[in-house]
Amino acid sequence: MGIFSKFKDNYEKNIVIEILNEQFKRIEPLGLLTFDHKKLSIELVENLWSNSASYLNGSIHKRPARIVFSIAALSNGLECLAKDDVQNQKALLVLLRDLFAEVDVNRSQYGLKAVDVELLEIASKIYVEFSQDLSNEVSVSEQVNLESYQTWDEWYAVFQAEAAFHFDKLGKFNCLEYMDKSPLQRAYQENIDPKPLAKVFAEETDFENVFKGSA
């Protein structure tokens, strides 16, 4: 059992390493990543595994979906490997943005489990934190991100739709119309992706406090 489990661990890690390596190759034309693709992919996976093996190896939870494993490795890399490296932070943020979007669009396909949801929540918070930290940096990745959002109204429409989806999924009342929009307008001006921001907003907002603030 122990030998088989170790074999399975290595098999899953190698698949995620290849997923990450292919993702890094995909964004190579942006010129953001300064690390070697393969070495970075291995380091991201091994670093996450050393810190969070119980989430990944099936010993407590079921193993997460590989795309979620990939997202968790990238977000952990933001905190551990690229904390003071702005250029490589941007590369990881671009990939996180795209992988979050893939999970949102094809959620049913991945059969997400409790461990997936937990890992995605952790990764979303890290993503938003680092996106905000880089808000004063103008990059190719951010320009690509905003090509679909030429105006505040377009950006806000996407945020509204995404927030409504997550409020409904969480069984919460959608309080968006009652809140001060100025923080969201700043997020738009700072090139923050509305979709992951909307997810975190829906999960963390206490609508009772919003009502009190608007009274």
Side-chain angles (χ1 to χ4, degrees), residues 55-71:
Y55 279 94
L56 308 171
N57 63 12
S59 61
I60 297 176
H61 313 271
K62 291 185 177 179
R63 292 179 188 267
R66 289 160 184 163
I67 191 170
V68 175
F69 189 161
S70 303
I71 288 171

Side-chain angles (χ1 to χ4, degrees), residues 6-126:
K6 187 173 181 179
F7 174 82
K8 180 65 174 175
D9 291 345
N10 289 333
Y11 177 74
E12 291 296 319
K13 287 194 285 186
N14 286 335
I15 289 179
V16 174
I17 287 167
E18 286 306 312
I19 290 172
L20 291 174
N21 192 43
E22 290 303 312
Q23 290 294 313
F24 286 130
K25 288 180 182 177
R26 182 176 62 79
I27 66 165
E28 189 171 11
L30 296 177
L32 298 173
L33 191 69
T34 63
F35 297 132
D36 176 85
H37 299 162
K38 188 71 172 183
K39 289 181 180 177
L40 178 58
S41 300
I42 293 170
E43 188 169 0
L44 287 170
V45 168
E46 293 296 347
N47 194 56
L48 178 66
W49 193 277
S50 67
N51 294 328
S52 306
S54 62
Y55 279 94
L56 308 171
N57 63 12
S59 61
I60 297 176
H61 313 271
K62 291 185 177 179
R63 292 179 188 267
R66 289 160 184 163
I67 191 170
V68 175
F69 189 161
S70 303
I71 288 171
L74 287 166
S75 63
N76 186 64
L78 278 174
E79 290 196 309
C80 301
L81 303 179
K83 187 173 184 179
D84 300 314
D85 187 336
V86 171
Q87 184 168 347
N88 287 293
Q89 280 183 33
K90 292 174 184 175
L92 300 186
L93 287 169
V94 169
L95 292 187
L96 279 168
R97 178 201 69 197
D98 294 348
L99 292 177
F100 277 129
E102 166 64 21
V103 170
D104 283 341
V105 170
N106 297 302
R107 183 172 293 268
S108 60
Q109 172 185 323
Y110 294 108
L112 301 183
K113 305 172 286 293
V115 63
D116 294 302
V117 173
E118 188 171 350
L119 288 171
L120 287 170
E121 288 176 351
I122 294 169
S124 293
K125 290 176 182 177
I126 295 171

